[in-house]
Amino acid sequence: MATKLTIALSGALALPAYAAELNLSVEIPQLNVAEYHRPYVAIWLEGADQKVAADLSVWYQMKDTKEGHGTKWLPDLRQWWRKSGRSLKVPVDGVTGPTRPVGKHALKFTDKQPALAKLAPGSYTLVIEAAREVGGRELVKIPFTWPANAPQSSKAQGSSELGAVTLAVKP
C-alpha cells in the first residue's frame, strides 16, 4: 500500500511546473530625422485604479557624457515620472538598463520575478512610454487580466516614437 502511494505521489511530482508569464515585444522604429537620439522608454503595469502596480523596465542613458548623466532626462518620461519614477532610486537591478537601438526588443517576465510575484489577481494595463531628445513622446497602453486563465494576446501600434507592441500573457 505504501509503495502504491509513493509511486502515485512521485508521478504527481514529476509533472512539469508552469509559471505564469508576460511576453512583450516592443519595436523602436527607424526615424528619418537629422539628429537622431535613442528614446528613453519606461514599461510598467497599472492597476484598475491607474496607480503603478509594478515597474517592469526603464531604458535610459546610463553613462556620463559632457551633457551630464542620463538620469537628468528621466522626467521627460512624464507619465511614468509622475506615477513612479520620482520615488524610484535608479539604477534598479533587473529593471533599469541602457537605451535600445532601432528594432524589435523581446522581454519576458514570469510570476517568479519580484515585480509579478506580488501582483494580486485582477485587471491591469501594460503601459509603455517613450520620449526622445529632439523628438517626441508617446504612450501606448494594453489591458490584460492577471493571472491568465487562458492565453491572452494583444497588440497596439505606436505612431511615432514606438512601433508595434505585442503582449502575450500565458497562464
Side-chain angles (χ1 to χ4, degrees):
M1 180 73 173
T3 306
K4 290 180 185 175
L5 182 58
T6 304
I7 293 170
L9 287 176
S10 66
L13 295 175
L15 293 175
Y18 295 102
E21 62 185 43
L22 295 177
N23 291 305
L24 176 63
S25 174
V26 178
E27 181 182 20
I28 307 289
Q30 177 71 48
L31 301 176
N32 188 16
V33 294
E35 186 178 343
Y36 180 80
H37 297 273
R38 290 181 178 182
Y40 280 29
V41 176
I43 303 168
W44 72 95
L45 301 179
E46 288 184 354
D49 59 359
Q50 295 186 343
K51 292 184 180 177
V52 173
D55 285 308
L56 298 179
S57 195
V58 179
W59 306 339
Y60 69 101
Q61 175 193 317
M62 299 184 77
K63 295 182 180 179
D64 287 326
T65 66
K66 63 182 178 178
E67 298 171 343
H69 196 273
T71 56
K72 175 180 176 181
W73 293 284
L74 282 174
D76 288 350
L77 294 166
R78 293 182 201 149
Q79 293 297 315
W80 171 78
W81 184 256
R82 289 179 188 142
K83 293 183 177 206
S84 176
R86 71 177 83 191
S87 63
L88 198 64
K89 185 169 170 32
V90 294
V92 178
D93 189 33
V95 174
T96 57
T99 59
R100 308 281 173 96
V102 168
K104 291 186 179 184
H105 304 281
L107 300 150
K108 179 179 177 178
F109 305 96
T110 70
D111 61 355
K112 305 295 184 233
Q113 293 171 280
L116 298 182
K118 61 181 180 171
L119 208 58
S123 295
Y124 292 92
T125 302
L126 172 75
V127 185
I128 301 106
E129 182 176 21
R132 190 171 51 84
E133 183 182 359
V134 192
R137 192 179 77 73
E138 187 165 22
L139 195 71
V140 172
K141 296 183 176 189
I142 300 176
F144 69 98
T145 303
W146 183 262
N149 295 325
Q152 301 173 49
S153 181
S154 299
K155 293 181 181 183
Q157 180 66 43
S159 60
S160 59
E161 301 302 324
L162 293 168
V165 177
T166 59
L167 173 66
V169 184
K170 296 181 180 177

